[in-house]
Amino acid sequence: LVFSISKEKSFTVRQGTKKIEINAFARCTNMESITLNDDLEEIGREAFNNTKIKEIYIPASVTYLHPIFIYGNSMDKIEIDPQNQNYTSDDKFIYNKNKTKIVRYYKNDSSVVIPDGVEIVDTYSFHNKPNLNQITISSTVKELNQCFQYCTALTSITIPSNVEKISSGCFYNCKNLAQINVDNTQNSITGAPWGCPYGMRAVNWLK
């Protein structure tokens, strides 16, 4: 499905559709609910941008879900079919199947705790969460990819000693992020300041 201009409040994707393309429903500003077909395989970037959809059910057939298929939208509920072999979800996050990787945080709260058991916070997983001002990273996290871009309310963050890798654009356009406190020795994690607009002034090595 490449593009829809439906004015309806609800929409059902027809059987046989394998992919919903980027911005496919961007002009469907009245849309409040959608039913996905049970042979759908892929949902593209910003597929449901500008809609009023607050709940969505992802079928077992989906093998690829772009992390920002809902972009900045806050969702009340994303439920993933338990038979899906690639993804699962709870009341805040979409994960890979075994919950070791966060694919997307889909709420717009002011604070969040990354759960124990998560090892990777993946690219775009917290992209454009303007209300988020407190992030607690659990002791199991090893890798932060380009995950916190455009978290503009974030002023400080603590990186625990268990984190081994931070991608270069992790804090891109976190324009108020003045403190990155790293619970490790200087330069133990390469690439600082990881895209932070404040540069190295923001980075504090705590050991």
Side-chain angles (χ1 to χ4, degrees), residues 135-195:
I135 300 169
T136 302
I137 300 172
S138 73
S139 61
T140 59
V141 174
K142 298 177 181 178
E143 186 174 328
L144 301 174
N145 290 332
Q146 296 183 40
C147 48
F148 299 125
Q149 313 99 316
Y150 294 91
C151 290
T152 51
L154 194 63
T155 58
S156 68
I157 190 168
T158 297
I159 309 297
S161 60
N162 44 281
V163 173
E164 301 169 356
K165 177 185 175 182
I166 304 176
S167 292
S168 60
C170 184
F171 302 111
Y172 178 77
N173 210 42
C174 293
K175 62 183 181 181
N176 293 305
L177 182 59
Q179 280 193 325
I180 303 171
N181 299 313
V182 186
D183 189 20
N184 220 321
T185 56
Q186 188 168 355
N187 299 323
S188 56
I189 305 174
T190 60
W194 310 292

Side-chain angles (χ1 to χ4, degrees), residues 122-138:
D122 212 7
T123 299
Y124 295 129
S125 54
F126 288 84
H127 184 92
N128 192 30
K129 293 296 177 180
N131 295 331
L132 195 59
N133 60 37
Q134 183 176 346
I135 300 169
T136 302
I137 300 172
S138 73

Side-chain angles (χ1 to χ4, degrees), residues 100-103 118-122 140-145:
T100 58
K101 178 168 67 176
I102 290 178
V103 175
V118 171
E119 297 179 3
I120 299 171
V121 184
D122 212 7
T140 59
V141 174
K142 298 177 181 178
E143 186 174 328
L144 301 174
N145 290 332

